Amino acid sequence: MLRSMLRSSFSSGLGREATLSTTALIRCLDEAGLVGEMWRMIQDMVCGSCLVGPADLSETVRILGNATMVNKAPSIFYQIKGRKCKPNCKHLQLHNPDANTGSALISALGKLGRKDSATRLFDEMTQNGLHPTAKVYTNLMGIYFTLGRVEKALGMVQEMKEKGCAPTVYTHTELIKELGKAQRIKEAYNIFMNVLREGCKPDVVLINNVINLLGKAGRLVDAIKLFEDMESLHCTPNGVTYNTIIKALFECTAPASEASSWFERMKANGMDENGFPPCPAAYCSLINTLGKAKRYEAANELFQKLKENCGSSSARVYAVMIKHFGKCGRLTEAVDLFDEMKKLGCSPDVYAYNALMSGIARAVRIDDTYSLLRTTEENGCVPDLNSHNIILNGLAGTGGPQWAMEMLTKMKNSKIKPDAVSYNTVLHCLSRAGMFEKAAKLMKEMQLNGFEYDRITYSSILEAPGKIDEVRARTTL
DNA sequence: TTAGGGTTAG
């Protein structure tokens, strides 16, 4: 019924009004989640005879870009532009809707991974006399960063300034975040200081980003100083700010008391009222950081708190906790958690299975590991390369070089090919057994298959002989 | 459009 209603509305009018109503209907279909209907409607619009204006085109591309149909957006853009929009383009080019279309399309192309098309479209837009908005510049800058073209990205900021387009807080945030990722911490921090000096008002997201990169670089003092400065910058710290600081404290191996005093401070600021931290992602990150620091009890406490506050947990955080329980030998608790997640209707994914499997393999229960691998498959979860490496490691531990080599051969003949981790695992096992010739041969093979030796490769083969001597020394005593 | 989530080997 809806479809016929839409159809009649579409065919009843001619020209601009009809198109406008079509766009409105497309928007409705999008909001209602009727993706199939929406797509048919758009195709009707494209194939029909009425003119599609830049505003409609812009809106359509935007909807497609935001919906899961991002890959359809460019083709629609070019179809309409080529067939219908052209006659109007000359005088419409300087209109905002066309700039918006280009902006939406650049964003869609970026999401699609078609970065070269995005940059080309940008050039096309500027050559046609369109003035890109700050949003477009920021978007394109992000694209250059992901392409690893840092200087070109920085050039975008320069260019926008020269063209009289003022960078926004989004631009600064993106710029500082990306420079941080590229390990150019000092530069990022200087840019932030310049932003302040130039009188641009930072917001809490920008500051959180700066705190985050300072913490990651081990500049804890600067990170905390910035936190203290927030009040004078008229920014109120939120849950993410506190989490970022606390995470930085853990990563810089600050004393536990210092981290808990920040927890208390956060609670005192009312962050606990609405369920702290504000979202499970923060918990997950903190739990993992605590586990890595071998502070398993603290990790478990936080995990329990997450369940209390959010009612349920995601498979991701379960996998993290299961992994850490397995690592510290608390296998029973790992298994209990695995059962608990199933009972609560949170079906384990390959990460959860791998986490449990590695715990079981660590406890040298290779048969159980195998049976878990089968269960993984039965539950529609496809074991991946990591699952195989976990089994390989278990086999190497219990059955020695022979089992390890057998499994490696099996992997080479199967769909899931061994990677550097697989080779390192077997190399370690061979060296431990004193089979250095075989190890040397395997290293050659590893290199031939395109895997470089890394720190772990060397430590695997070099530490093992030392251990053999230890064993010999003990037995001759 | 902007911050924060998990895999294996030593």
Side-chain angles (χ1 to χ4, degrees):
Chain A
M1 168 158 167
L2 179 65
R3 181 150 174 81
S4 62
M5 187 181 86
L6 294 174
R7 275 198 164 280
S8 67
S9 136
F10 176 69
S11 52
S12 64
L14 279 171
R16 179 119 192 100
E17 272 128 55
T19 326
L20 267 183
S21 69
T22 308
T23 318
L25 289 165
I26 288 169
R27 203 182 303 129
C28 291
L29 289 171
D30 171 50
E31 278 162 16
L34 298 165
V35 180
E37 292 288 344
M38 180 183 86
W39 178 237
R40 272 189 288 275
M41 194 85 202
I42 289 171
Q43 290 199 306
D44 280 349
M45 183 172 90
V46 175
C47 301
S49 56
C50 64
L51 206 73
V52 180
D56 309 317
L57 173 55
S58 164
E59 179 69 2
T60 308
V61 170
R62 191 192 63 77
I63 289 172
L64 284 170
N66 282 339
T68 49
M69 304 170 81
V70 87
N71 55 336
K72 308 271 194 214
S75 82
I76 288 296
F77 175 78
Y78 285 112
Q79 270 186 65
I80 303 183
K81 194 170 181 257
R83 288 188 38 236
K84 303 187 171 174
C85 219
K86 239 178 189 160
N88 287 2
C89 270
K90 226 170 188 160
H91 67 275
L92 281 172
Q93 259 170 5
L94 289 171
H95 279 214
N96 261 339
D98 211 16
N100 287 339
T101 314
S103 160
L105 191 63
I106 286 174
S107 155
L109 287 167
K111 277 187 209 160
L112 258 181
R114 289 168 57 178
K115 321 239 188 250
D116 49 336
S117 311
T119 53
R120 231 180 301 128
L121 182 64
F122 177 84
D123 291 338
E124 195 186 304
M125 280 172 73
T126 41
Q127 275 156 24
N128 283 329
L130 276 173
H131 299 295
T133 58
K135 189 171 160 181
V136 175
Y137 275 117
T138 307
N139 219 319
L140 205 71
M141 182 188 75
I143 288 175
Y144 279 125
F145 268 120
T146 57
L147 287 172
R149 299 177 64 183
V150 179
E151 299 315 317
K152 189 88 183 155
L154 294 174
M156 288 305 342
V157 187
Q158 198 55 39
E159 188 183 319
M160 70 190 288
K161 279 184 187 162
E162 282 164 14
K163 297 237 167 104
C165 177
T168 65
V169 69
Y170 293 104
T171 320
H172 293 133
T173 306
E174 190 74 15
L175 177 61
I176 285 167
K177 187 180 73 184
E178 290 294 341
L179 280 173
K181 273 194 213 159
Q183 301 303 320
R184 290 164 72 159
I185 313 289
K186 230 176 174 171
E187 222 173 324
Y189 191 57
N190 285 342
I191 288 174
F192 174 67
M193 293 316 240
N194 276 335
V195 167
L196 298 185
R197 223 169 290 133
E198 284 164 12
C200 294
K201 226 175 97 53
D203 67 357
V204 67
V205 179
L206 174 56
I207 292 182
N208 287 349
N209 269 294
V210 179
I211 291 179
N212 187 39
L213 73 89
L214 287 172
K216 280 205 170 132
R219 289 172 61 176
L220 201 56
V221 178
D222 288 326
I224 291 173
K225 186 179 176 304
L226 181 53
F227 180 94
E228 307 294 359
D229 286 345
M230 282 178 82
E231 202 181 325
S232 62
L233 294 167
H234 307 289
C235 273
T236 313
N238 60 17
V240 178
T241 321
Y242 280 101
N243 286 322
T244 312
I245 290 273
I246 292 166
K247 209 175 143 189
L249 287 170
F250 287 137
E251 278 166 353
C252 297
T253 57
S257 58
E258 203 169 332
S260 34
S261 85
W262 280 89
F263 271 114
E264 293 310 316
R265 198 166 158 182
M266 172 158 41
K267 274 198 245 170
N269 280 295
M271 295 277 171
D272 202 28
E273 301 304 311
N274 315 319
F276 143 75
C279 106
Y283 271 108
C284 193
S285 164
L286 282 177
I287 290 168
N288 199 32
T289 313
L290 283 168
K292 277 191 198 157
K294 298 200 195 303
R295 285 155 63 175
Y296 302 108
E297 229 10 85
N300 192 25
E301 254 172 53
L302 205 57
F303 180 71
Q304 297 306 331
K305 212 166 177 188
L306 165 69
K307 282 194 287 189
E308 277 165 34
N309 285 348
C310 302
S312 65
S313 290
S314 66
R316 295 174 87 139
V317 75
Y318 267 108
V320 167
M321 206 53 229
I322 290 170
K323 176 185 77 179
H324 289 303
F325 272 142
K327 280 208 162 147
C328 65
R330 290 162 71 169
L331 197 58
T332 320
E333 282 158 284
V335 175
D336 286 348
L337 267 192
F338 191 80
D339 291 337
E340 180 186 296
M341 72 185 286
K342 279 196 288 193
K343 211 169 73 195
L344 295 176
C346 174
S347 50
D349 58 6
V350 69
Y351 289 91
Y353 275 106
N354 285 350
L356 188 59
M357 246 190 312
S358 64
I360 292 177
R362 202 177 291 271
V364 206
R365 286 163 57 180
I366 195 67
D367 292 343
D368 289 347
T369 321
Y370 262 130
S371 74
L372 191 61
L373 190 67
R374 273 194 299 276
T375 320
T376 312
E377 278 168 334
E378 280 159 18
N379 287 325
C381 228
V382 185
D384 60 5
L385 178 56
N386 302 305
S387 324
H388 288 261
N389 282 339
I390 290 164
I391 299 283
L392 176 64
N393 189 40
L395 284 173
T398 41
Q402 201 190 332
W403 287 15
M405 288 297 281
E406 270 172 30
M407 167 112 191
L408 188 72
T409 311
K410 263 192 214 161
M411 283 174 76
K412 282 189 273 193
N413 294 328
S414 78
K415 251 199 210 155
I416 295 180
K417 302 289 177 210
D419 67 351
V421 174
S422 327
Y423 278 104
N424 286 345
T425 306
V426 180
L427 278 173
H428 180 237
C429 175
L430 287 172
S431 312
R432 213 170 30 190
M435 299 163 74
F436 300 114
E437 267 175 50
K438 272 213 161 130
K441 223 172 121 191
L442 198 65
M443 277 183 84
K444 234 175 232 168
E445 181 189 311
M446 171 180 182
Q447 201 173 39
L448 278 174
N449 285 326
F451 300 112
E452 305 223 336
Y453 310 143
D454 60 8
R455 220 180 69 250
I456 296 178
T457 315
Y458 290 114
S459 75
S460 299
I461 52 170
L462 294 176
E463 279 169 19
K467 279 182 190 151
I468 291 173
D469 288 344
E470 268 173 45
V471 173
R472 279 193 193 141
R474 246 180 287 153
T475 47
T476 49
L477 271 177

